[in-house]
Amino acid sequence: MATGTTAAPARHALPFPVAMARPAALVERNLRAARHYWLTFVSGFFEPVFYLFAMGVGIGALVGSVDVDGREIPYAVFVAPAMMATSAMNGAVYDSTGNVFYKLKHSKLYRSVLSTPLRPWDIAAGEISWALLRGLIYSAAFLLVAAVAGFVPSWWALLAIPACTLIGLGFAAVGMAATTYMRSWNDMDYVQLAILPMFLFSATFYPLATYPPALQWVVQATPLYHGVDLVRGLMMGDLHVGLLVHVGYLAVFSALGLWATTRRIGTLLLT
Amino acid sequence: MSLIRATGLRKTFGDFVAVDGIDVEVAAGESFGFLGPNGAGKTSTMRMIGATSPVSGGELTVFGMDPASHASQIKARLGVVPQTDALDEELRVRENLLVYGRYFGLTREQVRARTGPLLEFAQLTEKSDAVVESLSGGMKRRLTIARALINEPSLLLLDEPTTGLDPQARHVLWDRLFRLKRDGVTLVLTTHYMDEAEQLCDRLVVMDHGRIVAEGSPRSLIAQHASREVLELRFDVADHAERVEEVAGIAERVEVLADRLLLYVHDGDGALETVAARGVHPLSALVRRASLEDVFLRLTGRSLIE
Ligand SMILES: Nc1ncnc2c1ncn2[C@@H]1O[C@H](COP(=O)(O)OP(=O)(O)OP(=O)(O)O)[C@@H](O)[C@H]1O
Ligand SMILES: [Mg+2]
């Protein structure tokens, strides 16, 4: 039957397309599975759009405009980037917690995947790539809707799509790492406990300057704040070096999550 | 060439020793079995061979490679049938094979070309678009085996392939495994059924409490550790030990079980006549050939299936 393959070269020597071939097999698996529950897939798009119109149009009518660093900005323009960044976070967390917990504990999917050549790193990379692909479609659709509604003043906004992918990467990686520590579905509540305050207070609905200085530091420490401010800068065409700080923060956040996830999958399943 | 070579192989979980220094060598083309009761360490051993469980001590090579450093390369050439089916329930029957093949880096064309014959082999062609949940236990087992063959492995690891199946389903599976063996696939399986071991294994080891207590072909183990025939006697008593004296001297060895006496003899019918001539009248008597169950009883003092 099968003849022996020669030993593959060391892992760090693999060129990118080959290195991603194994995670891609898991993405393909998820795509096939998703065909059987496509409705959840579609509903993920509507949530941020509903928020955008409820907040931007509804509340915007009451608030009018907000003052950001001395500039008057229509409320919808202010809040649209926040909704886009938040939905990148929510989607990533959704895909990397509940779905992953089910596969880890109930369906034993990863156990059988690990008896093939895929390694823990490939599982982490595959699941997170899947979350990002999904997020990418949502981000692009959201941006289109917001632009058509007239809430996007700058062409730099196109860069908000990769920015949202970076946000998704961070939250999917850290979310998946957190999931490996969960013992039961009840523990999923802790995720909401972390997500909800970030959603409400990361300069999403009003500018950072609204907070007293001490609280501003707390807000600035959270990952979603960096995501929101990055996307807002890009969508309003307000480019400055500070944006690079946000990118750096999110990159480190992502790397930590990926590292922890890979280690934990090995610890849990290769016993 | 030996595909698997283990020397002093150990597996511990904390202070608990699951596999306690075993030596095993499996040659290409062989059918090799681990026979043992619950908790003997069969699954732990299989998982180390499958490179999904790190070795705690001793040495292990699979295809001449170390599982600690070459896990992916080993897995690429292995087929694994775990003790409990872990099929992908979110996918259909055919998709289970398609997707699994992709994990091995096979192209879509390769996977598609292999899926048809494998479904045929597993007698699941009609079920190819069914949801996995709707399959019977035997069908799921066959699908798991078919899935393990998608990468055309040269070594197939089967952890209790027929546990929980009815006799007919077991015979179907045995037939499939025979075909693989004939095609030159090396089979390594665990079981606690002696008939299965006798049917499928060229050579086997008997495991108990993480150790190997005997090794050889089914025939040679029986010849070595049991007699040619066994005379089973049932009496109407609470404790069969009471009747041992009445049959003393007839057999090479007598085992007392909860519900019967086992007399290890060369000639079962002759022994039964002697028993009758002594005026001993059991409720029932049965003469059979000795099996691996008897070997196990001899070696450990316990039955294989509790
Ligand atoms: N992950 C684990 N952590 C702790 N103990 C374990 C673990 N896996 C197995 N064991 C213990 O190791 C021993 C051997 O288990 P193993 O599963 O290898 O036995 P087995 O021969 O396959 O038994 P069975 O016939 O029931 O499948 C058992 O006592 C079991 O409780
Ligand atoms: Mg077992």
Side-chain angles (χ1 to χ4, degrees):
Chain A
M1 302 214 36
T3 51
T5 47
T6 47
R11 168 173 149 188
H12 55 262
L14 290 178
F16 180 77
V18 178
M20 286 310 280
R22 291 197 278 218
L26 197 57
V27 171
E28 195 177 319
R29 180 261 163 213
N30 286 343
L31 194 59
R32 274 187 182 277
R35 290 208 292 223
H36 302 300
Y37 54 89
W38 57 273
L39 198 62
T40 354
F41 208 81
V42 176
S43 67
F45 161 72
F46 287 102
E47 194 186 292
V49 172
F50 288 162
Y51 266 113
L52 174 65
F53 285 96
M55 297 294 161
V57 181
I59 303 203
L62 300 174
V63 178
S65 58
V66 283
D67 175 273
V68 181
D69 304 330
R71 281 165 59 203
E72 286 290 307
I73 294 165
Y75 189 67
V77 173
F78 175 79
V79 93
M83 293 303 107
M84 187 168 167
T86 306
S87 88
M89 169 182 82
N90 282 335
V93 168
Y94 176 84
D95 270 332
S96 66
T97 56
N99 283 348
V100 164
F101 187 73
Y102 171 76
K103 293 173 188 170
L104 198 60
K105 292 280 155 77
H106 295 271
S107 81
K108 309 224 179 79
L109 175 71
Y110 300 147
R111 241 179 222 292
S112 41
V113 166
L114 283 177
S115 55
T116 74
L118 269 71
R119 299 152 306 177
W121 156 259
D122 301 314
I123 292 179
E127 286 295 358
I128 291 164
S129 304
W130 165 246
L132 296 185
L133 279 178
R134 240 173 109 155
L136 192 65
I137 296 168
Y138 294 155
S139 301
F142 179 90
L143 189 63
L144 187 69
V145 171
V148 169
F151 303 151
V152 182
S154 162
W155 278 101
W156 286 109
L158 283 176
L159 284 182
I161 294 175
C164 281
T165 302
L166 181 60
I167 296 170
L169 176 61
F171 280 100
V174 171
M176 193 165 171
T179 303
T180 63
Y181 287 97
M182 291 184 192
R183 294 145 300 174
S184 73
W185 287 103
N186 294 335
D187 287 347
M188 221 55 80
D189 292 341
Y190 291 110
V191 175
Q192 285 314 311
L193 208 62
I195 293 295
L196 192 64
M198 275 199 273
F199 171 51
L200 294 173
F201 303 118
S202 298
T204 22
F205 297 108
Y206 31 85
L208 183 64
T210 320
Y211 295 100
L215 272 183
Q216 285 186 21
W217 280 105
V218 177
V219 170
Q220 282 177 301
T222 68
L224 185 60
Y225 165 76
H226 292 274
V228 167
D229 209 55
L230 173 62
V231 174
R232 187 170 281 144
L234 292 168
M235 275 174 78
M236 302 200 318
D238 176 17
L239 303 192
H240 52 90
V241 237
L243 298 188
L244 290 179
V245 175
H246 299 324
V247 170
Y249 180 106
L250 291 170
V252 171
F253 187 58
S254 306
L256 282 177
L258 275 170
W259 172 79
T261 302
T262 302
R263 268 189 61 120
R264 285 287 299 165
I265 289 178
T267 317
L268 281 183
L269 300 180
L270 299 175
T271 51
Chain B
M1 185 200 122
S2 52
L3 293 191
I4 302 172
R5 186 196 301 265
T7 32
L9 183 61
R10 283 167 60 81
K11 181 73 204 182
T12 53
F13 297 102
D15 289 339
F16 183 81
V17 182
V19 178
D20 196 2
I22 62 170
D23 298 331
V24 171
E25 200 160 337
V26 179
E30 219 185 348
S31 262
F32 185 88
F34 290 95
L35 180 72
N38 291 131
K42 306 182 296 291
T43 298
S44 305
T45 305
M46 292 290 257
R47 293 194 62 229
M48 286 191 280
I49 297 170
T52 53
S53 172
V55 168
S56 310
E59 303 214 345
L60 175 67
T61 58
V62 183
F63 302 116
M65 294 180 277
D66 179 357
S69 55
H70 291 76
S72 288
Q73 287 94 321
I74 290 172
K75 289 168 183 176
R77 298 168 62 186
L78 274 186
V80 177
V81 177
Q83 186 164 353
T84 45
D85 293 316
L87 293 162
D88 198 328
E89 307 246 340
E90 291 178 84
L91 301 176
R92 304 297 160 98
V93 168
R94 174 190 298 274
E95 289 178 319
N96 260 277
L97 299 180
L98 293 175
V99 164
Y100 207 70
R102 298 286 287 153
Y103 297 149
F104 287 89
L106 301 173
T107 65
R108 287 195 190 82
E109 292 71 44
Q110 280 176 315
V111 175
R112 254 198 300 273
R114 289 177 191 186
T115 300
L118 279 177
L119 286 173
E120 195 77 32
F121 171 84
Q123 296 172 303
L124 288 170
T125 310
E126 272 93 76
K127 293 278 180 186
S128 68
D129 290 316
V131 292
V132 170
E133 230 178 10
S134 72
L135 300 183
S136 73
M139 290 174 179
K140 281 187 186 168
R141 214 60 189 141
R142 294 204 298 272
L143 180 57
T144 304
I145 293 177
R147 189 179 75 163
L149 294 171
I150 193 85
N151 58 327
E152 299 188 339
S154 43
L155 172 59
L156 186 61
L157 303 178
L158 302 133
D159 198 352
E160 300 196 12
T162 67
T163 298
L165 301 187
D166 63 37
Q168 203 206 333
R170 296 178 70 204
H171 281 281
V172 172
L173 259 174
W174 287 349
D175 170 63
R176 302 290 119 166
L177 295 177
F178 263 130
R179 292 189 198 191
L180 291 173
K181 185 166 147 45
R182 211 178 44 210
D183 291 342
V185 180
T186 306
L187 303 181
V188 172
L189 58 107
T190 76
T191 182
H192 43 214
Y193 296 120
M194 46 284 152
D195 54 346
E196 185 158 287
E198 285 171 16
Q199 286 272 338
L200 294 176
C201 302
D202 302 327
R203 203 158 60 84
L204 57 94
V205 291
V206 180
M207 273 186 93
D208 190 32
H209 295 304
R211 293 171 193 267
I212 291 176
V213 291
E215 175 170 3
S217 70
R219 282 286 118 220
S220 75
L221 281 172
I222 292 166
Q224 218 178 316
H225 300 283
S227 53
R228 200 172 72 98
E229 293 188 334
V230 182
L231 172 60
E232 299 197 359
L233 300 177
R234 254 174 235 274
F235 293 96
D236 185 18
V237 287
D239 182 3
H240 277 72
E242 295 169 18
R243 313 305 283 260
V244 174
E245 229 157 76
E246 296 171 25
V247 298
I250 296 175
E252 296 159 32
R253 198 162 53 84
V254 179
E255 283 286 349
V256 183
L257 299 189
D259 61 341
R260 65 209 134 117
L261 291 180
L262 302 183
L263 278 65
Y264 289 93
V265 293
H266 181 73
D267 171 14
D269 290 320
L272 184 54
E273 278 169 27
T274 318
V275 169
R278 284 194 187 179
V280 177
H281 297 291
L283 274 184
S284 69
L286 168 78
V287 175
R288 59 168 175 84
R289 294 180 69 84
S291 75
L292 286 173
E293 171 81 58
D294 301 300
V295 172
F296 192 79
L297 198 61
R298 175 68 194 272
L299 291 169
T300 68
R302 288 180 295 119
S303 320
L304 211 43
I305 299 173
E306 288 111 28

